[in-house]
Amino acid sequence: MNYPKKVTIGDITVRDGFQHEENFIPTEAKVWLAEQLILAGFKHIEVTNLGNPQGMPQFRDADSVLKCLRTSKKIADKLSQVSLTAITIREKAIERAIMAKKDGLGPDRILLMVSTSESHHIKNSGISLDEYWKMAEKYIPLARDAGLKVNGTVSTIWGCPIEGPTEMSKAIEFSKRWFDIGANDVEHADHDGSASPDRVYQYYSMLLDAIPRPEKQIVHFHTTRGWGLANVLAALQAGMINYESSMGGIGGQPANFVSGVPVAGTGSYYYKDPNITGLNSTEDMVVMMDEMGIDTGLDIDKILEIGTMVEKIVGRRLRSESIRNGRIPKSMTGEK
């Protein structure tokens, strides 16, 4: 097997993980988790969504979360080496990020998103792809002038939960377009668990042939059907070195019901069972990579401890096997 010996992992629990939760996660818990992830060695974390909180009340505390992290004494000596990302799908969210950045309390990086499926894109953004590209072309320079890095995400690469099969080559075209209009990096996302390992290997091989800069590409898998770590292995084989995941494998479509109140979210769930969604489990992925001899630069024992606490935060058993079974011993235990 041929795979990288060192990778970078970004944890996105505080945003993508919690956005699917139907109970509001206290601000203090979000801040605590972000701090602990940074102390465990993560250099890239998603911390909030700066979009309209009426649709996603899970992030009504976005400003407070950012301010608490910027003023935290626990991580003050590490923040200069960490990239905090906020999601900014539309214009007002980008403007909000720019203002917060100018005030010294904003994110380091913002995320814009397109889907190769027009239906999925409109559901996420509210406007057509043509309209969105025009908006991105206008706002990316404004964001970069303010000191923000910009991520351009491409979704529905392997399939769409609304329309069905999609064409992978379209995602390559979209990736090139993101770089052409000024994105710093591109996330390649399977947001509904449509990707299978063979097509994952095919897509990332195509991508690196077209854009041979693996350090600028980010792998994002959901494991709705249980293929997540198999897809990670396929991406590793293709030469990908940047990955995203969430603690306990939580996350998914923004909740349309939060703390007893129906909300807009992005409309009705497109999962048969919205409890069986989510990303790859951070805990399981880092333990697997460690066993493969891949350097993640992370404190794996601390990550397993954090995973146990995240289960308490959300109030249920999550989708990590490693926090139950631990790491594989590296030496003899002495037991007979």
Side-chain angles (χ1 to χ4, degrees):
M1 297 179 72
N2 184 28
Y3 48 82
K5 296 304 179 184
K6 186 174 183 178
V7 301
T8 297
I9 297 175
D11 187 276
I12 58 176
T13 311
V14 185
R15 195 282 302 182
D16 201 331
F18 287 159
Q19 78 172 9
H20 192 59
E21 293 300 304
E22 292 190 341
N23 287 306
F24 182 75
I25 305 299
T27 304
E28 296 84 354
K30 293 170 183 167
V31 172
W32 178 88
L33 177 54
E35 290 173 334
Q36 294 302 309
L37 292 169
I38 291 169
L39 292 173
F42 287 97
K43 299 295 191 293
H44 302 274
I45 61 173
E46 280 183 11
V47 295
T48 196
N49 187 322
L50 290 172
N52 189 341
Q54 286 189 334
M56 289 179 286
Q58 187 63 254
F59 305 112
R60 64 179 186 243
D61 59 356
D63 292 333
S64 295
V65 169
L66 285 165
K67 182 176 180 179
C68 287
L69 292 174
R70 289 295 177 203
T71 58
S72 171
K73 294 181 180 179
K74 292 181 182 178
I75 54 174
D77 62 331
K78 300 183 183 300
L79 270 184
S80 63
Q81 303 299 315
V82 174
S83 177
L84 303 180
T85 296
I87 309 307
T88 56
I89 301 298
R90 292 293 301 274
E91 298 93 326
K92 288 185 178 179
I94 300 171
E95 291 167 1
R96 189 177 170 191
I98 290 171
M99 291 300 298
K101 184 69 172 177
K102 289 179 179 177
D103 291 339
L105 298 173
D108 301 295
R109 177 174 171 266
I110 59 172
L111 183 150
L112 283 67
M113 184 183 299
V114 294
S115 304
T116 60
S117 159
E118 186 89 28
S119 298
H120 189 268
H121 177 79
I122 291 173
K123 189 171 185 178
N124 272 350
S125 71
I127 58 177
S128 71
L129 276 165
D130 283 344
E131 292 171 317
Y132 198 88
W133 283 118
K134 290 177 183 176
M135 182 274 290
E137 289 171 1
K138 175 183 176 181
Y139 274 86
I140 287 177
L142 297 176
R144 295 194 60 166
D145 286 347
L148 291 163
K149 292 185 176 179
V150 179
N151 169 267
T153 291
V154 180
S155 185
T156 62
I157 296 169
W158 294 273
C160 170
I162 302 170
E163 294 184 16
T166 55
E167 181 55 54
M168 289 190 293
S169 60
K170 193 172 183 180
I172 304 295
E173 296 172 12
F174 281 20
S175 300
K176 290 179 178 178
R177 189 165 183 178
W178 275 127
F179 286 119
D180 287 344
I181 64 175
N184 296 89
D185 51 35
V186 173
E187 174 190 311
H188 306 267
D190 172 27
H191 277 139
D192 72 327
S194 294
S196 58
D198 59 324
R199 291 183 300 136
V200 166
Y201 180 82
Q202 181 185 358
Y203 173 74
Y204 285 117
S205 297
M206 290 167 53
L207 175 69
L208 293 182
D209 284 343
I211 310 171
R213 299 195 66 184
E215 75 280 4
K216 293 289 186 179
Q217 321 290 350
I218 300 161
V219 178
H220 177 115
F221 291 127
H222 283 228
T223 189
T224 312
R225 295 171 176 84
W227 307 338
L229 289 180
N231 286 338
V232 167
L233 182 61
L236 285 166
Q237 285 286 99
M240 300 302 290
I241 58 175
N242 293 319
Y243 295 81
E244 289 182 342
S245 55
S246 69
M247 301 299 295
I250 59 175
Q253 187 178 1
N256 58 23
F257 187 88
V258 177
S259 295
V261 181
V263 296
T266 53
S268 59
Y269 295 141
Y270 43 69
Y271 303 106
K272 291 181 179 179
D273 183 348
N275 291 317
I276 307 177
T277 64
L279 290 82
N280 279 316
S281 157
T282 296
E283 304 96 309
D284 293 351
M285 189 165 73
V286 298
V287 168
M288 181 185 85
M289 288 181 171
D290 178 61
E291 190 61 24
M292 293 171 67
I294 298 172
D295 179 12
T296 64
L298 299 169
D299 184 336
I300 297 173
D301 291 325
K302 183 172 180 61
I303 290 170
L304 298 182
E305 293 173 3
I306 296 169
T308 301
M309 192 61 70
V310 172
E311 289 197 337
K312 292 184 178 181
I313 290 172
V314 300
R316 69 181 187 280
R317 169 78 163 92
L318 299 179
R319 300 175 74 185
S320 168
E321 300 305 321
S322 296
I323 65 170
R324 292 290 181 276
N325 299 309
R327 300 170 67 181
I328 296 173
K330 302 298 183 185
S331 61
M332 299 295 289
T333 64
E335 294 183 3
K336 296 182 179 180

